[in-house]
């Protein structure tokens, strides 16, 4: 069992394969340095979230499997995990929203070229799984939410940059994701 798929019309349905981006960035992640990926989990910053690079062919995206790099976010929502060196989807779940103090109940995903994992990158992942390139998926999300084409939603931290338009769009998507209750997954 795995990640809840996006039922929004913008997503065109959900996919069940690994999201490997093809368009912007590289499959090793734009936050990679010496084989490591630096990521920020943002729906408000999420502390204590489990984050992993989902690349196995188990048939269930969102289920952690032995050998997939994983880590836990710190108090500011940051985590560093090993770059698996193969196409993957970043998956984040659990933890606590540090703004509200409430448990985080959704599952966020992002393509491998993202450094920020947000509700918007979750939509991008769904569109890539449905067959779009990373660039086309980002453009579709930017257009749907009326965002600036210069806002790279795969790397932008809307809190640190005080980007209220991107933050507001993320809040809209988060309300839908959190309302779906996240998803079941194997124990990690």
């Amino acid at each position: 069992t795995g990640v809840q798929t996006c039922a929004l019309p913008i997503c065109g349905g959900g996919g069940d394969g690994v999201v490997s981006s093809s368009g912007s960035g590289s499959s090793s992640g734009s936050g990679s340095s010496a084989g490591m990926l630096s990521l920020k989990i943002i729906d408000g910053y999420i502390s204590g979230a489990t984050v992993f690079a989902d690349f196995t062919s188990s048939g269930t995206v969102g289920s952690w499997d032995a050998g997939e790099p994983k880590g836990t976010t710190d108090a500011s929502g940051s985590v560093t995990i090993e770059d698996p060196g193969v196409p993957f989807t970043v998956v984040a779940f659990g933890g606590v929203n540090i703004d509200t103090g409430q448990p985080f109940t959704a599952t966020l995903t992002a393509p491998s070229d993202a450094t920020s994992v947000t509700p918007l990158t979750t939509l991008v992942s769904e569109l890539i799984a449905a067959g779009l390139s990373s660039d086309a998926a980002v453009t579709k999300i930017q257009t749907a939410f009326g965002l600036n084409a210069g806002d790279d939603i795969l790397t932008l931290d809307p809190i640190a940059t005080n980007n209220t338009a991107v933050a507001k769009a993320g809040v809209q998507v988060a309300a839908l994701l959190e309302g779906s209750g996240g998803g079941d997954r194997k124990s990690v």
Side-chain angles (χ1 to χ4, degrees):
T1 60
V3 173
Q4 290 282 53
T5 57
C6 177
L8 298 175
I10 191 168
C11 295
D16 62 356
V18 171
V19 177
S20 62
S21 59
S22 57
S24 64
S26 67
S27 65
S28 61
S30 50
S32 69
S33 171
M36 301 302 286
L37 301 169
S38 296
L39 304 164
K40 193 79 159 181
I41 312 306
I42 309 167
D43 181 13
Y45 294 129
I46 307 300
S47 173
T50 298
V51 180
F52 64 98
D54 190 5
F55 65 84
T56 63
S57 59
S58 65
T60 306
V61 173
S63 293
W64 179 81
D65 294 301
E68 292 178 328
K70 71 176 177 176
T72 303
T73 56
D74 63 18
S76 67
S78 296
V79 65
T80 301
I81 60 173
E82 289 181 49
D83 183 339
V86 296
F88 62 93
T89 302
V90 178
V91 178
F93 66 92
V96 174
N97 180 316
I98 67 168
D99 292 337
T100 66
Q102 297 297 309
F104 185 69
T105 59
T107 299
L108 299 177
T109 61
S112 57
D113 55 344
T115 55
S116 291
V117 183
T118 70
L120 295 178
T121 65
T122 301
L123 293 181
V124 170
S125 292
E126 292 289 333
L127 291 171
I128 293 170
L132 292 181
S133 70
S134 183
D135 287 340
V138 167
T139 299
K140 188 167 189 167
I141 299 301
Q142 289 168 328
T143 302
F145 288 96
L147 302 175
N148 182 328
D151 291 335
D152 183 354
I153 58 176
L154 298 181
T155 60
L156 180 76
D157 177 343
I159 298 170
T161 60
N162 198 30
N163 188 317
T164 56
V166 172
K168 182 178 177 183
V171 167
Q172 292 172 331
V173 174
L176 295 171
L177 292 175
E178 290 174 15
S180 73
D184 297 328
R185 62 193 92 282
K186 296 179 185 177
S187 63
V188 290

